[in-house]
Amino acid sequence: MPETQYVHGYSAREADRLADQANALSDLLHHDTAYPRASLVLECGCGTGAQTIHLAASSPEAEIVSVDLIPESLEQARARVEAVGLGNVSFQVADVFDLPFPEASFDHVFVCFLLEHVPEPEKALLNLSRVLKEGGSITVIEGDHGSWYCHPSTPEAERTVECLVEIQARHGGNALIGRRLYPLLCEAGFRAVHVGPRLVYVDDSRPDLVEGFSKNTFIAMVEGVREQELSLGLMDEASWDKGIADMYRAAEPGGTFSYTFFKGTALK
Amino acid sequence: MPETQYVHGYSAREADRLADQANALSDLLHHDTAYPRASLVLECGCGTGAQTIHLAASSPEAEIVSVDLIPESLEQARARVEAVGLGNVSFQVADVFDLPFPEASFDHVFVCFLLEHVPEPEKALLNLSRVLKEGGSITVIEGDHGSWYCHPSTPEAERTVECLVEIQARHGGNALIGRRLYPLLCEAGFRAVHVGPRLVYVDDSRPDLVEGFSKNTFIAMVEGVREQELSLGLMDEASWDKGIADMYRAAEPGGTFSYTFFKGTALK
């Protein structure tokens, strides 16, 4: 079941990709999230802890409870947090659709790249709201693969990304969820909903993002579903390989890359 | 010839649309452009002056020479500038492909929504570089219709925007030029090239942008090519009308809209 839920899988390469993504984007995604001393924060869907270390470092005096479905991911997350010397995170196996916490347990809730992978994001938000105290905040960060484009582009490059969107949908997820974040938070009953886009634009004047985002985060993510794509036959192998090569071409000098994350905040 | 160059035409409604666009986006696009006292600035492709009034107001002590191909547009621009009491703009009929100025005439060059409408943007930039002094700056603002998406979306809504891109290409333009701005400026020999995306994200917590951008700028622009679209038969009338209605649906509460402009600056 977990194997079918997370479209990108649980390989070591995927863990590296998630860390590259988190490091390249930490300022962009996390700079405006900090929780006060002694507040209790639930991070739901922490995976291997790629975002957890940024969350915990930004709020060193808050107490963070990071949960995930997969025990092996939690072990990696625990090791990652220990490796950077952070002591304010505890870990627990839990499912967003069956959270083992009483009502109003947490001062704040944080989720990053979780809703895009679950079949019922509305229900996930209601469950998160249940464990959040009245007046507490929720912060949700999600991507939107439909926001991606590059130059130069080709039909094959565009099709590889569409294939990933289709494969994620077959896993029950929605890779275009960023644009839906505002209505989702409103419909779940949160108030003071604010959604801000975080656009990553890359050209060769930004070599750190060429490596950290274009190649090691985005193209690596698309490449990561190669076997699933070929076994489903959404594209033939030669076209898929050309699409990936074309994306790498857009990460060369003269090329550009754009992608938008969405960060939503709201109060219960 | 002018009639075939500017895909959106020269109607009063289009002039209003351009003014709505400029007003809704003036901070986003213009807040970081200001020229020093006594500097001579060329604005190329000023049209009816929708951007000119923001440019001139932001640099009240600079001297701005605004040029356009179309005398009637220049008259509207002149009236608009006079109406807001700005005295630092002069107007002249001129073609970016045949600029009637000696080499190195201007301290700075400014173009907004011009390159997307010309058949040879590389050559336009070389011509603009010719009239710019050594060490002077060029500022270029362009859109990218491929950056647009909305929620909820439909294939018809997406197709109406693709039709506009195709029609603009038939006029010799490129509605996807924003993503190409960085390599275009580099290839034209400019140095210190910096391109920054300016993302417009709209949900119903931002009612001014729902009206000023989603409806009165973007959807109005797509609607504006209705006759051209139907005469070309790129979409049948019922599908096109549904696409437009679907876009208006995304401007209602619960809907979201995204679009990215690109602003490039560089030195000669």
Side-chain angles (χ1 to χ4, degrees), chain B residues 249-267:
Chain B
R249 169 66 195 84
E252 295 295 311
T256 68
F257 234 80
S258 291
Y259 186 88
T260 303
F261 296 93
F262 288 83
K263 182 167 184 172
T265 55
L267 299 176

mmCIF file of all heavy atoms in Angstrom, chain B residues 249-267:
data_model
loop_
_atom_site.group_PDB
_atom_site.id
_atom_site.type_symbol
_atom_site.label_atom_id
_atom_site.label_comp_id
_atom_site.label_asym_id
_atom_site.label_seq_id
_atom_site.Cartn_x
_atom_site.Cartn_y
_atom_site.Cartn_z
ATOM 1 N N ARG B 249 -15.356 31.290 -14.914
ATOM 2 C CA ARG B 249 -15.666 30.470 -13.737
ATOM 3 C C ARG B 249 -14.482 30.447 -12.759
ATOM 4 O O ARG B 249 -14.660 30.511 -11.540
ATOM 5 C CB ARG B 249 -16.035 29.045 -14.182
ATOM 6 C CG ARG B 249 -16.125 28.004 -13.093
ATOM 7 C CD ARG B 249 -17.268 28.250 -12.114
ATOM 8 N NE ARG B 249 -17.109 27.450 -10.893
ATOM 9 C CZ ARG B 249 -16.356 27.810 -9.856
ATOM 10 N NH1 ARG B 249 -15.693 28.958 -9.859
ATOM 11 N NH2 ARG B 249 -16.273 27.032 -8.794
ATOM 12 N N ALA B 250 -13.260 30.401 -13.335
ATOM 13 C CA ALA B 250 -12.056 30.377 -12.492
ATOM 14 C C ALA B 250 -11.792 31.724 -11.833
ATOM 15 O O ALA B 250 -10.938 31.827 -10.944
ATOM 16 C CB ALA B 250 -10.848 29.933 -13.316
ATOM 17 N N ALA B 251 -12.508 32.769 -12.284
ATOM 18 C CA ALA B 251 -12.380 34.086 -11.642
ATOM 19 C C ALA B 251 -13.458 34.284 -10.573
ATOM 20 O O ALA B 251 -13.531 35.336 -9.937
ATOM 21 C CB ALA B 251 -12.454 35.200 -12.687
ATOM 22 N N GLU B 252 -14.289 33.277 -10.377
ATOM 23 C CA GLU B 252 -15.308 33.321 -9.322
ATOM 24 C C GLU B 252 -14.703 32.828 -8.006
ATOM 25 O O GLU B 252 -13.626 32.217 -8.007
ATOM 26 C CB GLU B 252 -16.494 32.413 -9.703
ATOM 27 C CG GLU B 252 -17.256 32.862 -10.933
ATOM 28 C CD GLU B 252 -17.940 34.205 -10.718
ATOM 29 O OE1 GLU B 252 -18.619 34.354 -9.693
ATOM 30 O OE2 GLU B 252 -17.758 35.091 -11.576
ATOM 31 N N PRO B 253 -15.410 33.041 -6.870
ATOM 32 C CA PRO B 253 -14.901 32.517 -5.595
ATOM 33 C C PRO B 253 -14.613 31.014 -5.672
ATOM 34 O O PRO B 253 -15.386 30.252 -6.265
ATOM 35 C CB PRO B 253 -16.050 32.809 -4.618
ATOM 36 C CG PRO B 253 -16.666 34.061 -5.170
ATOM 37 C CD PRO B 253 -16.600 33.891 -6.672
ATOM 38 N N GLY B 254 -13.477 30.622 -5.110
ATOM 39 C CA GLY B 254 -13.049 29.220 -5.184
ATOM 40 C C GLY B 254 -12.113 28.949 -6.336
ATOM 41 O O GLY B 254 -11.487 27.895 -6.387
ATOM 42 N N GLY B 255 -12.036 29.893 -7.278
ATOM 43 C CA GLY B 255 -11.143 29.717 -8.411
ATOM 44 C C GLY B 255 -9.809 30.410 -8.181
ATOM 45 O O GLY B 255 -9.691 31.282 -7.314
ATOM 46 N N THR B 256 -8.811 30.018 -8.944
ATOM 47 C CA THR B 256 -7.505 30.687 -8.894
ATOM 48 C C THR B 256 -6.954 30.860 -10.307
ATOM 49 O O THR B 256 -7.374 30.146 -11.240
ATOM 50 C CB THR B 256 -6.469 29.909 -8.044
ATOM 51 O OG1 THR B 256 -6.131 28.680 -8.707
ATOM 52 C CG2 THR B 256 -6.991 29.615 -6.650
ATOM 53 N N PHE B 257 -6.037 31.781 -10.442
ATOM 54 C CA PHE B 257 -5.488 32.208 -11.722
ATOM 55 C C PHE B 257 -3.998 32.476 -11.521
ATOM 56 O O PHE B 257 -3.620 33.097 -10.516
ATOM 57 C CB PHE B 257 -6.147 33.557 -12.076
ATOM 58 C CG PHE B 257 -6.798 33.611 -13.417
ATOM 59 C CD1 PHE B 257 -8.062 33.075 -13.601
ATOM 60 C CD2 PHE B 257 -6.171 34.224 -14.499
ATOM 61 C CE1 PHE B 257 -8.683 33.141 -14.833
ATOM 62 C CE2 PHE B 257 -6.783 34.290 -15.739
ATOM 63 C CZ PHE B 257 -8.041 33.752 -15.907
ATOM 64 N N SER B 258 -3.149 32.047 -12.433
ATOM 65 C CA SER B 258 -1.714 32.348 -12.340
ATOM 66 C C SER B 258 -1.173 32.772 -13.695
ATOM 67 O O SER B 258 -1.554 32.202 -14.723
ATOM 68 C CB SER B 258 -0.922 31.118 -11.882
ATOM 69 O OG SER B 258 -1.199 30.788 -10.549
ATOM 70 N N TYR B 259 -0.285 33.737 -13.667
ATOM 71 C CA TYR B 259 0.367 34.202 -14.902
ATOM 72 C C TYR B 259 1.703 34.824 -14.510
ATOM 73 O O TYR B 259 1.801 35.485 -13.483
ATOM 74 C CB TYR B 259 -0.489 35.261 -15.598
ATOM 75 C CG TYR B 259 0.061 35.659 -16.953
ATOM 76 C CD1 TYR B 259 -0.309 34.954 -18.099
ATOM 77 C CD2 TYR B 259 0.973 36.699 -17.083
ATOM 78 C CE1 TYR B 259 0.211 35.285 -19.337
ATOM 79 C CE2 TYR B 259 1.497 37.031 -18.329
ATOM 80 C CZ TYR B 259 1.113 36.326 -19.445
ATOM 81 O OH TYR B 259 1.630 36.644 -20.676
ATOM 82 N N THR B 260 2.711 34.624 -15.339
ATOM 83 C CA THR B 260 4.031 35.169 -15.028
ATOM 84 C C THR B 260 4.521 36.112 -16.125
ATOM 85 O O THR B 260 4.547 35.752 -17.304
ATOM 86 C CB THR B 260 5.059 34.039 -14.831
ATOM 87 O OG1 THR B 260 4.600 33.162 -13.810
ATOM 88 C CG2 THR B 260 6.414 34.612 -14.412
ATOM 89 N N PHE B 261 4.866 37.324 -15.701
ATOM 90 C CA PHE B 261 5.593 38.269 -16.551
ATOM 91 C C PHE B 261 7.081 38.113 -16.269
ATOM 92 O O PHE B 261 7.472 37.662 -15.188
ATOM 93 C CB PHE B 261 5.167 39.711 -16.224
ATOM 94 C CG PHE B 261 3.731 40.003 -16.525
ATOM 95 C CD1 PHE B 261 2.756 39.853 -15.544
ATOM 96 C CD2 PHE B 261 3.342 40.407 -17.783
ATOM 97 C CE1 PHE B 261 1.416 40.114 -15.822
ATOM 98 C CE2 PHE B 261 2.002 40.676 -18.069
ATOM 99 C CZ PHE B 261 1.049 40.527 -17.090
ATOM 100 N N PHE B 262 7.900 38.511 -17.219
ATOM 101 C CA PHE B 262 9.348 38.472 -17.023
ATOM 102 C C PHE B 262 9.903 39.870 -17.250
ATOM 103 O O PHE B 262 9.581 40.516 -18.248
ATOM 104 C CB PHE B 262 9.996 37.475 -17.996
ATOM 105 C CG PHE B 262 9.700 36.051 -17.641
ATOM 106 C CD1 PHE B 262 8.513 35.458 -18.027
ATOM 107 C CD2 PHE B 262 10.598 35.310 -16.901
ATOM 108 C CE1 PHE B 262 8.220 34.146 -17.671
ATOM 109 C CE2 PHE B 262 10.320 33.994 -16.547
ATOM 110 C CZ PHE B 262 9.132 33.416 -16.927
ATOM 111 N N LYS B 263 10.720 40.305 -16.313
ATOM 112 C CA LYS B 263 11.364 41.615 -16.443
ATOM 113 C C LYS B 263 12.875 41.390 -16.509
ATOM 114 O O LYS B 263 13.475 40.818 -15.595
ATOM 115 C CB LYS B 263 11.013 42.499 -15.244
ATOM 116 C CG LYS B 263 11.610 43.908 -15.350
ATOM 117 C CD LYS B 263 10.996 44.834 -14.315
ATOM 118 C CE LYS B 263 11.502 46.263 -14.469
ATOM 119 N NZ LYS B 263 10.767 47.201 -13.580
ATOM 120 N N GLY B 264 13.462 41.852 -17.605
ATOM 121 C CA GLY B 264 14.903 41.706 -17.779
ATOM 122 C C GLY B 264 15.581 43.060 -17.753
ATOM 123 O O GLY B 264 15.044 44.048 -18.273
ATOM 124 N N THR B 265 16.739 43.109 -17.112
ATOM 125 C CA THR B 265 17.561 44.317 -17.159
ATOM 126 C C THR B 265 18.967 43.900 -17.556
ATOM 127 O O THR B 265 19.414 42.786 -17.245
ATOM 128 C CB THR B 265 17.613 45.035 -15.789
ATOM 129 O OG1 THR B 265 18.055 44.095 -14.806
ATOM 130 C CG2 THR B 265 16.270 45.589 -15.398
ATOM 131 N N ALA B 266 19.650 44.797 -18.260
ATOM 132 C CA ALA B 266 21.012 44.492 -18.699
ATOM 133 C C ALA B 266 21.711 45.808 -19.026
ATOM 134 O O ALA B 266 21.076 46.865 -19.118
ATOM 135 C CB ALA B 266 20.979 43.586 -19.923
ATOM 136 N N LEU B 267 23.021 45.723 -19.191
ATOM 137 C CA LEU B 267 23.825 46.898 -19.536
ATOM 138 C C LEU B 267 24.481 46.682 -20.895
ATOM 139 O O LEU B 267 24.798 45.560 -21.273
ATOM 140 C CB LEU B 267 24.920 47.124 -18.485
ATOM 141 C CG LEU B 267 24.446 47.380 -17.051
ATOM 142 C CD1 LEU B 267 25.648 47.489 -16.117
ATOM 143 C CD2 LEU B 267 23.587 48.644 -16.967
#
